[in-house]
């Protein structure tokens, strides 16, 4: 019975006759369907790329937000303007007059009302060349050698020259717990001085 049905169908196929116009129409429809499927695949692939790029951008923004310092801001006086130090980015400093003579000026600001910072002197390098007056930091790489500066016993204070100093700063909350540590690297190469913010 199955073979008979197959034979009948085969005979039926012999009876189907397509004109050239019908063949052209069928070919065009088939070609359009294939092109449509290709366009849909390209569109879907493009959508996946857009979603992947958006996701990567969100991850980068979230990571940079989480890694950035939100508690302590260090500003450097470049002579004509004050700029915020960014992590691992050197900023050129401009020599200017300070209360101690000619040197370089930084300013520290802590965000949040219940936080404060301390400067860890025992970990600093060439700390004798760094002075603090409130939130102002003065770096004196040329040293101090004059009769105007004396200790409490009246002895003249002499501070040697240096080409590099490090300033280690800790940010604490109101309970005294350390929540952030940074290092400010101060360097002089030739006549050019710079400050760089590093994470500890």
């Amino acid at each position: 019975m199955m073979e008979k049905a197959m034979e009948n169908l085969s005979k039926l196929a012999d009876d189907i006759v397509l004109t050239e116009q019908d063949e052209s129409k069928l070919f065009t429809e088939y070609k359009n369907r294939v092109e449509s499927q290709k366009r849909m695949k390209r569109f879907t692939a493009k959508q996946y790329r857009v979603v992947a790029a958006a996701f990567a951008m969100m991850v980068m923004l979230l990571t940079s937000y989480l890694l950035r310092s939100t508690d302590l801001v260090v500003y450097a006086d470049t002579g004509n303007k004050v700029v915020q130090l960014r992590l691992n980015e050197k900023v050129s400093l401009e020599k200017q007059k300070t209360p101690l003579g000619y040197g370089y000026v930084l300013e520290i600001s802590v965000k949040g009302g219940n936080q404060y910072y301390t400067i860890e002197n025992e970990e600093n390098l060439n700390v004798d060349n760094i002075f603090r007056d409130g939130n102002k930091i003065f770096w004196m790489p040329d040293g101090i050698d004059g009769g105007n500066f004396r200790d409490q016993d009246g002895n003249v204070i002499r501070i040697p020259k240096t080409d590099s100093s490090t300033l280690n700063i800790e940010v604490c909350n109101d309970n005294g717990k350390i929540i952030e540590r940074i290092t400010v690297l101060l360097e002089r190469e030739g006549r050019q001085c710079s400050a760089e913010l590093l994470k500890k």
Side-chain angles (χ1 to χ4, degrees), residues 18-34:
L18 295 173
T19 65
E20 198 173 307
Q21 187 178 7
D22 290 336
E23 285 180 358
S24 176
K25 185 178 176 185
L26 283 173
F27 180 77
T28 303
E29 287 175 0
Y30 174 76
K31 186 177 173 184
N32 289 342
R33 188 170 57 226
V34 169

Side-chain angles (χ1 to χ4, degrees), residues 42 73 97-98 101 107 121 127 139 142 150 162 171 191:
R42 284 195 298 265
V73 182
K97 189 158 179 56
T98 74
E107 189 166 346
N121 289 335
V127 69
W139 182 46
D142 291 329
R150 298 179 180 272
T162 184
V171 180
R191 295 180 169 220

